[in-house]
């Protein structure tokens, strides 16, 4: 399917360890799965558990659809009816699932770097896929974003890419800024200035929205994550939209070939005008579709892992 070398990785925790060539392999593999329309049921003997300890629609269900397209056996798991309710730790849950035969555990958890003790365990043999760790990273979302940008432009070098919104609390922003910077894109940030940490300065500069919209190739909007704000200060949706959102007026100032991305769910008329969610330049629906194929590439890659002797 792909002439590039397969990344030899047991787990999928972050995009950071992958070389540019390996990232291109993952992107091209996802696009090949998308083009194929039909897929060999290569993993009928594989068992996978999706452990989601935070609410999710797109990530959870696209992983499940990806798994089923590849012939995997999906083990039902609901935190609300599991031994988690008896006080069982995440580590012990994964230890149990690995012991009874789960080949892969896809995990979303509210703790940042939840995977550290799991990866250090000699008793856990399952492949671990990070589906989002607190405010840490979201590597599968980052991969589908890369896939969507590459599908549109065919390259990353010198693209002007804006990441706008709730930067401080966004694992999507943290994953994407690191990898896009490494791939040669020029990054810009916007949104409330108090959500722009100095860590972001190493990857790009802060620019006001009215200037930013006029020259970027990719406008990546972020959801305002009310659930991660420690104090619920007075929040005016209309004020946020006018100050920091992609309004209809701002969209009219964008370059003809520029595209809009958003990891969703979208707070309509907050991060961007509701009419822009399915607008001609929006790739939000494409992102959701690409999520299945990007995750098929991830599953396929970890299942091909060969332990070095």
């Amino acid at each position: 399917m792909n002439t590039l070398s397969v990344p030899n990785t047991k787990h999928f925790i972050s995009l950071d360890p992958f070389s540019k060539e390996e990232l291109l392999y993952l992107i091209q593999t996802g696009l090949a799965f998308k083009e194929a329309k039909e897929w060999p049921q290569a993993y009928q003997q594989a068992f996978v558990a999706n452990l989601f300890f935070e609410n999710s629609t797109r990530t959870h269900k696209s992983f499940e659809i990806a798994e089923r397209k590849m012939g995997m056996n999906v083990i039902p798991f609901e935190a609300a009816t599991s031994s988690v309710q008896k006080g069982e730790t995440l580590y012990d849950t994964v230890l149990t699932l690995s012991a009874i035969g789960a080949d892969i555990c896809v995990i979303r958890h509210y703790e940042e770097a939840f995977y550290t003790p799991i990866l250090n365990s000699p008793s856990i043999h399952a492949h671990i896929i990070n589906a989002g760790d607190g405010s840490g990273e979201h590597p599968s979302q980052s991969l589908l974003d890369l896939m969507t940008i590459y599908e549109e432009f065919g390259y990353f070098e010198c693209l002007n890419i804006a990441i706008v919104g709730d930067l401080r609390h966004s694992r999507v922003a943290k994953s994407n800024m690191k990898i896009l910077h490494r791939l040669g894109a020029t990054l810009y940030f916007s949104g409330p200035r108090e959500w722009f940490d100095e860590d972001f300065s190493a990857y790009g500069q802060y620019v006001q929205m009215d200037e930013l919209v006029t020259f970027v190739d990719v406008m990546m909007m972020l959801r305002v994550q009310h659930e991660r704000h420690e104090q619920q200060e007075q929040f005016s949706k209309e004020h946020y939209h006018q100050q920091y959102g992609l309004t209809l007026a701002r969209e009219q100032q964008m370059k003809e070939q520029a595209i809009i991305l958003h990891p969703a769910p979208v707070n309509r008329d907050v991060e961007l005008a509701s009419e822009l969610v399915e607008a001609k330049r929006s790739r939000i629906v494409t992102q959701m579709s690409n999520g299945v194929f990007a995750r098929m590439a991830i599953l396929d890659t970890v299942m091909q892992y060969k332990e070095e002797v």
Side-chain angles (χ1 to χ4, degrees):
M1 178 179 291
N2 198 318
T3 58
L4 295 172
S5 59
V6 181
N8 192 38
T9 181
K10 182 176 182 179
H11 309 296
F12 187 85
I13 302 302
S14 169
L15 292 185
D16 289 353
F18 297 108
S19 67
K20 290 183 180 180
E21 185 182 53
E22 289 170 333
L23 288 167
L24 192 59
Y25 169 89
L26 289 165
I27 292 167
Q28 290 185 358
T29 299
L31 290 171
F33 277 128
K34 183 176 183 177
E35 182 68 24
K37 306 300 181 185
E38 294 183 6
W39 311 273
Q41 301 290 287
Y43 298 111
Q44 292 182 6
Q45 300 304 310
F47 291 86
V48 57
N50 298 313
L51 285 65
F52 278 68
F53 295 86
E54 289 186 322
N55 295 336
S56 172
T57 300
R58 275 148 293 277
T59 304
H60 191 172
K61 296 308 175 186
S62 63
F63 260 117
E64 185 171 339
I65 290 172
E67 291 150 7
R68 294 189 185 280
K69 282 182 183 292
M70 301 181 78
M72 294 180 174
N73 298 285
V74 181
I75 305 168
F77 178 86
E78 295 294 338
T81 57
S82 73
S83 290
V84 170
Q85 300 305 314
K86 300 177 181 179
E88 182 174 79
T89 64
L90 173 62
Y91 176 90
D92 284 337
T93 298
V94 177
L95 180 66
T96 299
L97 289 166
S98 179
I100 64 176
D103 298 288
I104 300 174
C105 289
V106 179
I107 306 172
R108 169 171 288 186
H109 201 271
Y110 46 82
E111 288 186 10
E112 200 166 317
F114 66 79
Y115 43 78
T116 302
I118 298 170
L119 300 187
N120 290 333
S121 170
S123 303
I124 295 175
H125 305 292
H127 303 282
I128 305 302
I129 295 176
N130 178 11
D133 60 302
S135 293
E137 294 197 48
H138 197 348
S140 68
Q141 176 69 45
S142 186
L143 180 61
L144 75 88
D145 290 342
L146 294 180
M147 181 177 158
T148 305
I149 294 169
Y150 188 83
E151 187 177 31
E152 185 76 25
F153 296 99
Y155 60 92
F156 298 99
E157 296 83 358
C158 300
L159 282 177
N160 292 317
I161 299 179
I163 304 178
V164 179
D166 196 349
L167 297 166
R168 179 179 298 171
H169 303 94
S170 174
R171 51 196 171 205
V172 174
K174 291 168 185 173
S175 290
N176 280 344
M177 71 179 183
K178 291 189 289 184
I179 208 66
L180 285 167
H181 182 265
R182 184 147 63 89
L183 289 170
T186 303
L187 297 183
Y188 301 90
F189 301 96
S190 197
R193 192 63 189 251
E194 60 270 26
W195 293 348
F196 179 79
D197 291 339
E198 284 307 307
D199 292 346
F200 292 94
S201 299
Y203 300 95
Q205 61 178 300
Y206 180 94
V207 178
Q208 295 288 346
M209 272 293 282
D210 287 325
E211 178 185 354
L212 191 61
V213 294
T214 63
F215 65 86
V216 295
D217 302 295
V218 179
M219 181 65 72
M220 185 180 295
M221 308 303 296
L222 303 172
R223 182 175 68 88
V224 178
Q225 300 189 35
H226 300 287
E227 71 276 14
R228 298 194 192 279
H229 291 266
E230 293 181 3
Q231 295 182 340
Q232 287 293 324
E233 65 272 11
Q234 280 295 112
F235 182 85
S236 166
K237 294 180 179 180
E238 183 177 352
H239 174 77
Y240 184 94
H241 186 59
Q242 293 303 319
Q243 287 289 110
Y244 312 111
L246 188 57
T247 62
L248 292 173
R250 288 189 177 115
E251 186 268 339
Q252 291 295 313
Q253 300 302 310
M254 292 176 68
K255 293 165 60 176
E256 183 179 354
Q257 301 303 319
I259 62 172
I260 300 167
L261 301 182
H262 192 300
V266 178
N267 293 311
R268 289 173 180 260
D269 296 318
V270 180
E271 295 102 40
L272 70 161
S274 182
E275 295 91 332
L276 297 179
V277 173
E278 298 173 70
K280 183 178 179 181
R281 69 167 79 249
S282 172
R283 298 295 180 270
I284 297 172
V285 175
T286 302
Q287 285 176 275
M288 291 188 281
S289 298
N290 284 348
V292 173
F293 304 109
R295 288 166 178 130
M296 288 175 74
I298 293 166
L299 294 161
D300 185 58
T301 298
V302 299
M303 286 298 291
Q304 294 186 59
Y305 169 75
K306 293 179 176 61
E307 190 167 0
E308 296 178 358
V309 179

